[in-house]
């Protein structure tokens, strides 16, 4: 019986609980179906350690029981806890600096001149897969630093969304350690951060322009509630997704981008962007524009 295979595979020779290929396959399928995130066999050990951490927390003694819990919990509460463990949060301020230069020197002036004659004195930006907020705050800093500032009486907002609730909590707090801001120019630190007991906190006048919330980019309904955007940054997210999921996420982002709006992805991800977008090369950056 298959169930017996699980029993046989359950412990290694040191008595440690081990994930076998079949059960790994079922976890991997579940995660892929819900989020698009893909774990191939090379990630088996990584997934095993993260599953064990959650199982310890929930006092669950074997993988199958935990799998059943995930499969039957319609609230996805435990699944979200697991996502906090298995998503990769690596990020930094002004990651891929040329993107932010292009944003300030090309995208911002373009949007402002296009919208000048309309009533829409509002610019909306999305950091899709925002992790702990550095990307969203870098967008906001760039708007404040832009050589072509937004006209008086105009306003802007930066929405950050992520599938990790822990990441969203950190993003909302907006507090960063010295090691994270030490490479930023002193002027930027002085203008946008205040020193607190817990670390360097993004000043309120910037935080007031930002909003962070949970969303699964794979689910169109999660994104629809965020509104429409002039610019979307979705960088180093697609690399974790399975091929069809990449297409679906790009499709979802296309729908919430305003006509003429821009999409930034990481250079290694640009081949995933569909032909529905026009490819624009500006300076050292390749960006993608939704047709008007
Ligand atoms: C490596 S970080 C990249 C952060 C930031 N975009 C950057 O470039 O620095 C990837 C982020 O994507 C998030 N993520 C992965 N799959 C997601 C999905 N289906 N929906 C929303 N966020 C997702 C992860 O939780 C993680 O915070």
């Amino acid at each position: 019986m298959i169930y017996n295979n699980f029993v046989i595979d359950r412990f290694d020779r040191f008595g440690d609980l081990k994930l076998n290929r079949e059960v790994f396959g079922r976890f991997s399928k579940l995660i892929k179906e819900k989020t698009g995130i893909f774990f191939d066999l090379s990630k088996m050990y990584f997934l095993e350690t993260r599953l064990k951490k959650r199982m310890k927390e929930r006092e669950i003694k074997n993988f199958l029981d935990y799998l059943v819990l995930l499969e039957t919990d319609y609230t996805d509460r435990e699944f979200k806890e697991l996502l906090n463990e298995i998503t990769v949060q690596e990020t930094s301020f002004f990651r891929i600096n040329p993107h932010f230069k292009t944003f300030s020197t090309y995208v911002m002036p373009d949007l402002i001149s296009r919208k000048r004659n309309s009533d829409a004195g509002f610019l909306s930006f999305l950091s899709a897969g925002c992790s702990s907020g550095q990307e969203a705050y870098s967008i906001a800093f760039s708007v404040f630093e832009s050589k072509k500032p937004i006209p008086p009486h105009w306003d802007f907002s930066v929405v950050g969304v992520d599938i990790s609730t822990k990441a969203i909590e950190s993003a909302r707090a907006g507090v960063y350690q010295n090691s994270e801001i030490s490479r930023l120019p002193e002027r930027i630190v002085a203008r946008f951060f205040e020193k607190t007991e817990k670390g360097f906190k993004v000043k309120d006048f910037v935080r007031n322009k930002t909003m962070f919330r949970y969303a699964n980019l794979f689910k169109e309904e999660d994104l629809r509630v965020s509104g429409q955007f002039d610019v979307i940054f979705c960088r180093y997210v697609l690399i974790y997704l399975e091929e069809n999921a990449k297409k679906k996420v790009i499709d979802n982002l296309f729908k919430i981008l305003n006509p003429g709006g821009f999409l930034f992805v990481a250079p290694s991800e640009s081949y995933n962007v569909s032909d529905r977008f026009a490819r624009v090369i500006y300076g050292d950056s390749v960006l993608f524009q939704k047709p008007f």
Side-chain angles (χ1 to χ4, degrees):
M1 279 193 3
I2 294 175
Y3 189 76
N4 279 342
N5 280 338
F6 296 145
V7 175
I8 290 164
D9 285 343
R10 199 177 289 161
F11 298 95
D12 69 7
R13 63 198 169 96
F14 302 107
D16 275 345
L17 190 61
K18 298 304 288 179
L19 191 58
N20 72 28
R21 279 183 178 217
E22 276 169 285
V23 186
F24 166 79
R26 285 180 63 181
F27 276 110
S28 162
K29 184 163 175 272
L30 181 75
I31 295 165
K32 189 176 80 182
E33 282 170 358
K34 283 180 183 274
T35 67
I37 298 172
F38 181 55
F39 287 96
D40 64 17
L41 267 176
S42 68
K43 306 268 170 53
M44 188 150 111
Y45 179 69
F46 170 83
L47 190 61
E48 181 185 285
T49 54
R50 305 305 159 108
L51 291 171
K52 278 182 173 173
K53 194 169 168 202
R54 284 310 307 156
M55 284 158 57
K56 192 168 172 205
E57 189 74 27
R58 298 295 304 252
E59 298 182 358
I60 292 175
K61 300 257 177 306
N62 69 69
F63 291 115
L64 268 187
D65 287 350
Y66 187 61
L67 181 65
V68 171
L69 171 70
L70 294 178
E71 284 175 340
T72 53
D73 173 13
Y74 69 94
T75 66
D76 271 348
R77 227 168 114 179
E78 178 54 35
F79 189 71
K80 284 182 181 169
E81 292 297 339
L82 177 63
L83 285 176
N84 284 332
E85 299 299 335
I86 63 175
T87 46
V88 177
Q89 306 303 331
E90 188 184 335
T91 187
S92 55
F93 287 103
F94 296 103
R95 189 179 194 182
I96 320 180
N97 203 28
H99 279 180
F100 291 95
K101 285 212 169 103
T102 298
F103 176 78
S104 304
T105 56
Y106 173 73
V107 172
M108 282 287 292
D110 184 67
L111 291 174
I112 291 169
S113 67
R114 250 195 283 142
K115 288 198 177 198
R116 204 173 29 219
N117 295 327
S118 73
D119 296 334
F122 191 83
L123 298 174
S124 52
F125 307 113
L126 176 69
S127 166
C130 63
S131 185
S132 34
Q134 290 86 332
E135 182 175 76
Y137 289 124
S138 302
I139 297 169
F141 299 161
S142 302
V143 175
F144 284 114
E145 288 280 300
S146 176
K147 292 219 164 59
K148 185 159 175 86
I150 60 171
H153 313 304
W154 281 37
D155 205 354
F156 76 96
S157 79
V158 186
V159 175
V161 297
D162 203 281
I163 204 168
S164 161
T165 52
K166 259 192 196 165
I168 290 295
E169 264 174 48
S170 321
R172 282 186 188 139
V175 178
Y176 301 94
Q177 297 317 303
N178 196 25
S179 56
E180 293 177 85
I181 59 158
S182 59
R183 271 183 285 157
L184 292 176
E186 270 175 37
R187 189 180 54 76
I188 295 285
V189 177
R191 184 170 181 197
F192 297 118
F193 293 87
E194 59 189 333
K195 204 164 181 203
T196 69
E197 272 178 14
K198 290 185 177 157
F200 290 84
K201 185 169 183 185
V202 177
K203 287 184 181 171
D204 282 349
F205 78 94
V206 184
R207 293 176 70 231
N208 291 343
K209 300 289 177 203
T210 62
M211 202 197 77
F212 294 96
R213 62 173 196 81
Y214 170 90
N216 180 354
L217 300 174
F218 193 49
K219 286 195 178 163
E220 198 183 330
E221 62 272 26
D222 274 14
L223 288 176
R224 240 188 274 128
V225 293
S226 297
Q228 293 291 122
F229 296 93
D230 295 306
V231 183
I232 298 176
F233 284 67
C234 183
R235 303 168 322 142
Y236 297 110
V237 179
L238 299 173
I239 42 167
Y240 300 103
L241 306 184
E242 176 267 337
E243 287 308 313
N244 286 325
K246 289 178 189 181
K247 289 197 184 92
K248 175 111 180 72
V249 167
I250 291 291
D251 212 40
N252 289 344
L253 296 179
F254 186 89
K255 288 178 189 152
I256 57 166
L257 196 56
N258 285 328
F262 295 96
L263 170 70
F264 286 90
V265 297
S268 57
E269 298 167 323
S270 55
Y271 72 94
N272 296 125
V273 180
S274 70
D275 298 344
R276 296 171 80 191
F277 289 86
R279 187 176 283 253
V280 178
I281 298 175
Y282 186 84
D284 291 336
S285 306
V286 176
L287 60 163
F288 297 88
Q289 187 169 28
K290 178 170 172 172
F292 290 95

